Amino acid sequence: MFDMNVVAKNIRKARTKKNMTQLNLADEMGVSYQAVSNWERGNSMPDISKIPELCEILEISFEELVGGKSKESEITQKIIKDEEVSLEEISQVAPIVKPEVIEEKAHDSIKKGKKTSFVSLSMMAPFMEEETLNKTALELCDVDFNKLVALAPFLEEETLDILVDQAIENGSIRNMGIIGLLPFLSQKTIQKAYDYFKELDNPAVISSIMPFLDNDDEEYEDILHKVKDRFDQGFDIEDDLNELEDEDIIDLAEKALRENRNLEVFLDYLDSDDIEKLAKTAIKEGYDIKQFLAYLDEDAVKELLLEALKK
């Protein structure tokens, strides 16, 4: 990137040579006095669209403004002339490029399927809209977790989860780069990464992931496993249901239905919608629905009876 101190010095030098005040230059450029002041203090760079006008007013070449020819100056010249540039090239001069130009180029690259790197995208991230940034990361970048870390704070959790899931599926997550991503991932994806590295028997990565795991989830899985075991062995699990989530109670109730076991113990824990769905499953599979009726309103009972008669 350009050395802003060099640019600041060259603007100040050229302005002074022309016997202009900062206010004079601001008026000529159609910008605020504060903008010119920030340029000359090296706090910011002129917008790329303003550079040709600035050079013309100060009567200096672009190379004189930026301190000589460089890769960045060549890219800037191409953007000024509206020539074809890649996302990688734009990333080199992103701070002085209007966000709309970056957005336009990103959308164009997505349409054409032109790949870019996480390094380039992380340099442009502060200047891109969130939706475009996430879409570009998903569609144009190859996963390299060591380089994705710098981009992670700018991406949505869902996007990072997808990238990690893809890497797990294709086996490209075999490095320590995953560790830097852990604060930005959902518990579900962290657990998936933990299971993956556990299967690979990678103790270094496993020990790094463990502090990010939700211990409550682990404890709940243990409780659920024990309740299922007790159910399979025929024990009364009514008191255990208080500790389970609704979806797991429904799963056990469906299993009890198919095994022709008493369902009343489950029905007290389910809402009417879930009970009605369970009753419809019973009708579909040819089971008795009498035990459901006391838990449903009149309209739901009529609907179920009509459905049963059709069978």
Side-chain angles (χ1 to χ4, degrees):
M1 189 50 206
F2 298 114
D3 187 330
M4 290 199 295
N5 289 326
V6 170
V7 175
K9 179 181 177 181
N10 291 337
I11 293 175
R12 187 168 57 250
K13 180 180 177 182
R15 176 184 59 78
T16 303
K17 186 176 180 180
K18 293 229 3 131
N19 196 31
M20 298 176 71
T21 66
Q22 288 185 340
L23 187 57
N24 292 149
L25 180 57
D27 288 340
E28 290 270 358
M29 293 286 297
V31 298
S32 67
Y33 160 78
Q34 288 83 0
V36 174
S37 176
N38 282 327
W39 296 345
E40 294 194 0
R41 284 185 291 169
N43 292 336
S44 65
M45 281 277 292
D47 185 280
I48 202 167
S49 63
K50 290 286 186 181
I51 289 178
E53 183 182 3
L54 177 63
C55 290
E56 183 179 350
I57 292 171
L58 296 179
E59 297 182 358
I60 59 175
S61 67
F62 178 73
E63 285 73 19
E64 289 176 305
L65 174 69
V66 298
K69 287 188 175 182
S70 65
K71 182 179 179 181
E72 290 83 2
S73 66
E74 291 175 1
I75 295 169
T76 303
Q77 293 273 42
K78 288 171 69 176
I79 295 173
I80 291 172
K81 295 175 182 178
D82 199 25
E83 296 178 359
E84 183 71 16
V85 289
S86 66
L87 283 179
E88 281 76 9
E89 289 176 316
I90 287 183
S91 71
Q92 301 298 312
V93 293
I96 63 171
V97 180
K98 282 188 175 181
E100 64 183 30
V101 175
I102 297 176
E103 287 285 314
E104 182 182 343
K105 185 59 190 176
H107 285 295
D108 184 57
S109 295
I110 290 172
K111 286 181 182 178
K112 296 179 180 178
K114 294 182 179 179
K115 294 287 186 179
T116 190
S117 67
F118 285 126
V119 173
S120 295
L121 202 56
S122 64
M123 294 169 69
M124 293 183 287
F127 313 101
M128 295 179 69
E129 291 184 5
E130 188 175 294
E131 182 180 351
T132 306
L133 177 62
N134 283 275
K135 188 174 182 180
T136 306
L138 288 173
E139 296 195 23
L140 300 185
C141 292
D142 295 320
V143 174
D144 182 338
F145 286 92
N146 290 314
K147 297 174 182 178
L148 178 57
V149 171
L151 185 60
F154 299 98
L155 295 179
E156 295 175 349
E157 181 183 271
E158 182 181 359
T159 298
L160 286 166
D161 283 348
I162 291 172
L163 291 171
V164 172
D165 284 346
Q166 290 174 347
I168 289 175
E169 288 173 9
N170 63 33
S172 63
I173 195 174
R174 299 171 182 271
N175 58 63
M176 296 289 284
I178 182 65
I179 297 170
L181 296 177
L182 294 173
F184 307 99
L185 300 176
S186 69
Q187 271 298 309
K188 181 179 179 181
T189 301
I190 292 173
Q191 182 65 55
K192 191 170 183 178
Y194 175 83
D195 294 339
Y196 177 81
F197 283 104
K198 190 173 182 181
E199 187 175 335
L200 291 179
D201 192 23
N202 190 326
V205 178
I206 291 172
S207 61
S208 297
I209 295 176
M210 286 184 69
F212 292 90
L213 287 172
D214 189 337
N215 291 326
D216 290 340
D217 285 348
E218 286 188 24
E219 291 173 9
Y220 178 77
E221 289 298 323
D222 288 339
I223 292 170
L224 178 61
H225 181 71
K226 290 176 183 177
V227 173
K228 286 182 176 179
D229 280 348
R230 286 174 54 78
F231 176 79
D232 291 339
Q233 294 170 27
F235 290 111
D236 180 8
I237 61 169
E238 182 174 3
D239 293 338
D240 299 316
L241 295 179
N242 287 312
E243 301 182 71
L244 300 186
E245 295 177 359
D246 290 348
E247 60 185 78
D248 293 315
I249 295 175
I250 293 170
D251 288 343
L252 285 172
E254 289 177 347
K255 186 174 183 180
L257 174 67
R258 293 186 173 90
E259 294 178 1
N260 202 24
R261 294 168 64 170
N262 180 22
L263 283 170
E264 290 186 12
V265 64
F266 300 102
L267 300 183
D268 289 331
Y269 291 89
L270 301 177
D271 62 32
S272 58
D273 288 341
D274 289 329
I275 292 173
E276 187 174 351
K277 289 177 184 177
L278 196 59
K280 288 179 178 179
T281 300
I283 292 172
K284 185 178 179 181
E285 299 189 12
Y287 296 106
D288 188 0
I289 63 168
K290 289 180 182 178
Q291 55 192 322
F292 300 106
L293 302 183
Y295 295 87
L296 299 172
D297 62 30
E298 186 177 342
D299 290 338
V301 170
K302 286 180 180 179
E303 185 180 341
L304 287 173
L305 291 176
L306 286 172
E307 198 163 326
L309 287 173
K310 291 178 184 178
K311 293 288 290 185

